[in-house]
Amino acid sequence: MEALVRRQTDEEESLVALSKEILEFAASSDPDQTLMKHIAAAAAAAVQRSDEIGADRPINLLLAGYFGAGNVGSDMRANEIVRQISYLLGDDMVTYSALALTDRMPSDVLGAVKCLPVDDYVPKALSRAVFDHDGVIACEGSMFKSKFSNVLSAVMAGALGIASRSGKLSIGYGAEVAAMDNSLSSFVSEHASGALIMCRNEASRRAADAIGLRATPGADTAWTFDAAPKEKAAAMLRKLGWNGSDEIVTICPSNPFWWPVRANPVMALEMQKTGRHRELSYGSVFFHAESDEIAGKYNRYIQNLAFAMNELRRRMNAFPLLVGMERVDEVACRDLAERMDGDPVILMGYQHPVRDVVGLLRLSSVLISSRFHALVGAMPGCVRSIGIAIDERVQNLLGDADQSGRIVAPDDDALGDKIIEIALAMDADDVARASAKTVGDAVVSIGEMGIAFTDEIIKTCPDFPVPSRPRTWESHIPPLPHAISELLN
């Protein structure tokens, strides 16, 4: 009876504390900072685990990332993380769960991952989820940066911090570390310092080193993703109106200017009561940025893209295809289509299997993309591509491949003219050679990440039965898709 009363009292005190946190968040003049403070408190309260992971049961991993947003790139990445870890540890020796914005995972990828909808105040949901698992794998590519959302980065850093302080596995997998404001930089430095951060490019590794993270080289895991066969992609495109012979010019637009997303409980309440701000809603209490300057830049960007697509369609006698790589890109796709000649086809990635979307990208004659993972998905197909550099990711991708001439800026007044000039001048053989080298280097780095992962498992969970294999990158990477093997050969 005494134990029952004590437990009820603890639960009541926990509810009171949670209510105070939610009220503080709702009334805050800086909700992002308040959320980060509460995540930090949850990390500080982490306790050392009492159980050891041995041979008697699978290791249960929590995937912390960007799930449920209908983001094709995030789903590609996470699928390959799961595939590699399962290959290294054995399918029957690891299980997965993921914190998600919705109540389901994409069925064609991540089907074996248990969905954990975030249906509570974020710091509490995060703390509870980490407590219930044996380790955390942070999955989002844009892991630590202020460009898109301080809160998303703080959630991943917080999850890693709670895990490492509890003595659990704590790994950032294929991370981008880039420009952060002072508050986020300090937060990540404090809470992710105990984790192993496997960076997806050298610029990220240097940035991670600069704030005291335990960083090692790596790559984006999406490079090994298997696309739908060309025949299936072609059949899909014929149903959308392609005649089967015209060249295909694909564009993946977004709004480069309405980031970062920030928490705003006041706007959320107004939207609930009056419907205001709905066009800026990112979900829950989070909203995109808005200003006259943002609107002006966005309109010029869309107009430039429309001009380029119309000209390339005419000069190449091409079939134009608009692909939304994330649910929020639907607005940009629609706005672009309205300014283009004819009635161009819009295909939203979240409405189709991920492999089919990547298959369509690889069918393109020319790809123009504001989305990093559209470029990654298309590159194994040696597609002539142009990157619209919203941030450093496209710069790092094409710059490291000595292909900086294929990079354009979204706010360049001559954006449309430059896209046309680059698209018509690209040499297919040069692009193929650069693509093969980029993909090959990435595959080797992914294998080396596998070595670093198994080393960390052995260090953190010494009783876990890690299968023995040669210490080579080839033996630490799962079987490669046929298209990737062909390209490397």
Side-chain angles (χ1 to χ4, degrees):
M1 178 62 72
E2 182 180 345
L4 178 61
V5 171
R6 186 164 57 249
R7 188 175 68 189
Q8 288 176 334
T9 302
D10 290 344
E11 290 175 352
E12 289 168 0
E13 289 177 354
S14 178
L15 288 172
V16 169
L18 177 62
S19 298
K20 288 181 179 178
E21 284 189 345
I22 293 174
L23 289 173
E24 183 183 2
F25 169 69
S28 175
S29 60
D30 191 341
D32 277 15
Q33 286 299 309
T34 301
L35 262 176
M36 289 166 65
K37 183 180 80 170
H38 294 160
I39 293 172
V47 295
Q48 190 77 10
R49 72 173 184 210
S50 58
D51 61 322
E52 294 298 325
I53 309 302
D56 57 331
R57 68 174 178 86
I59 188 170
N60 187 14
L61 298 179
L62 176 68
L63 306 179
Y66 188 45
F67 299 103
N71 184 295
V72 173
S74 292
D75 293 341
M76 291 167 63
R77 271 181 53 87
N79 183 80
E80 293 306 284
I81 290 172
V82 167
R83 196 165 74 91
Q84 184 174 24
I85 292 176
S86 295
Y87 173 77
L88 294 172
L89 302 185
D91 287 335
D92 58 344
M93 289 304 295
V94 58
T95 61
Y96 307 91
S97 303
L99 290 167
L101 302 174
T102 57
D103 61 357
R104 68 182 66 181
M105 305 297 285
S107 58
D108 65 315
V109 292
L110 303 173
V113 178
K114 180 181 178 182
C115 184
L116 302 177
V118 181
D119 54 4
D120 206 338
Y121 187 48
V122 170
K124 181 183 178 184
L126 183 65
S127 179
R128 183 176 62 238
V130 178
F131 180 82
D132 289 340
H133 291 78
D134 300 315
V136 168
I137 306 295
C139 295
E140 175 56 17
S142 299
M143 196 168 295
F144 300 135
K145 56 192 294 185
S146 289
K147 170 68 177 180
F148 297 110
S149 169
N150 274 0
V151 170
L152 177 60
S153 290
V155 164
M156 285 183 288
L160 292 171
I162 295 170
S164 61
R165 291 183 185 188
S166 303
K168 299 180 179 183
L169 188 72
S170 181
I171 297 178
Y173 221 99
E176 189 92 34
V177 185
M180 290 179 271
D181 60 36
N182 290 335
S183 62
L184 180 61
S185 180
S186 297
F187 186 97
V188 171
S189 178
E190 177 181 357
H191 296 288
S193 59
L196 176 65
I197 308 301
M198 299 191 289
C199 300
R200 69 182 178 187
N201 51 59
E202 180 59 22
S204 292
R205 191 195 61 77
R206 291 195 301 268
D209 283 343
I211 60 172
L213 301 184
R214 188 161 59 99
T216 187
D220 192 288
T221 52
W223 289 108
T224 56
F225 189 80
D226 192 12
K230 284 187 176 181
E231 297 76 15
K232 184 178 182 184
M236 285 180 61
L237 209 52
R238 286 190 183 93
K239 289 181 179 179
L240 295 173
W242 180 51
N243 62 11
S245 59
D246 286 349
E247 292 194 88
I248 302 159
V249 176
T250 303
I251 187 164
C252 301
S254 66
N255 186 338
F257 309 107
W258 65 348
W259 307 96
V261 165
R262 298 187 188 278
N264 194 320
V266 174
M267 287 177 67
L269 184 60
E270 289 179 356
M271 185 179 72
Q272 184 179 11
K273 289 182 175 180
T274 68
R276 288 182 60 205
H277 316 301
R278 194 170 300 280
E279 73 283 359
L280 299 173
S281 175
Y282 186 72
S284 182
V285 296
F286 296 94
F287 292 85
H288 287 283
E290 179 187 37
S291 71
D292 290 341
E293 180 183 6
I294 289 173
K297 286 183 176 181
Y298 173 70
N299 285 329
R300 288 191 293 274
Y301 159 84
I302 290 294
Q303 196 59 48
N304 268 307
L305 295 187
F307 168 71
M309 289 294 286
N310 286 337
E311 281 296 299
L312 290 175
R313 180 182 191 176
R314 181 178 62 82
R315 296 192 195 188
M316 297 174 61
N317 191 32
F319 178 84
L321 176 65
L322 282 59
V323 176
M325 290 291 286
E326 184 178 344
R327 196 184 306 269
V328 296
D329 294 343
E330 195 155 10
V331 174
C333 286
R334 186 176 65 243
D335 289 345
L336 177 57
E338 289 175 353
R339 289 167 173 80
M340 286 176 58
D341 297 338
D343 189 19
V345 170
I346 297 175
L347 185 139
M348 292 306 303
Y350 72 90
Q351 297 174 342
H352 299 269
V354 178
R355 287 186 174 85
D356 290 356
V357 177
V358 179
L360 286 174
L361 296 176
R362 292 185 189 175
L363 207 62
S364 307
S365 305
V366 172
L367 171 69
I368 304 153
S369 180
S370 291
R371 286 287 183 177
F372 172 83
H373 278 106
L375 298 169
V376 170
M379 199 171 285
C382 297
V383 174
R384 290 175 288 160
S385 56
I386 300 170
I388 303 176
I390 294 175
D391 57 10
E392 75 291 329
R393 293 172 303 162
V394 170
Q395 295 280 0
N396 290 338
L397 172 63
L398 294 179
D400 289 350
D402 295 325
Q403 296 290 303
S404 56
R406 291 157 53 195
I407 302 171
V408 291
D411 55 355
D412 191 327
D413 289 337
L415 173 64
D417 290 320
K418 289 183 177 179
I419 287 174
I420 295 167
E421 180 183 355
I422 296 169
L424 297 177
M426 279 188 291
D427 182 83
D429 290 336
D430 286 345
V431 170
R433 281 191 291 270
S435 298
K437 183 179 186 308
T438 299
V439 175
D441 290 346
V443 167
V444 172
S445 292
I446 293 169
E448 291 171 344
M449 284 202 304
I451 297 174
F453 173 82
T454 53
D455 286 348
E456 195 71 2
I457 281 275
I458 292 168
K459 173 186 171 184
T460 310
C461 310
D463 295 327
F464 186 83
V466 177
S468 177
R469 48 174 48 89
R471 198 174 174 82
T472 63
W473 71 264
E474 295 98 330
S475 63
H476 285 76
I477 196 166
L480 294 173
H482 179 72
I484 305 294
S485 297
E486 287 275 293
L487 183 64
L488 299 187
N489 290 335

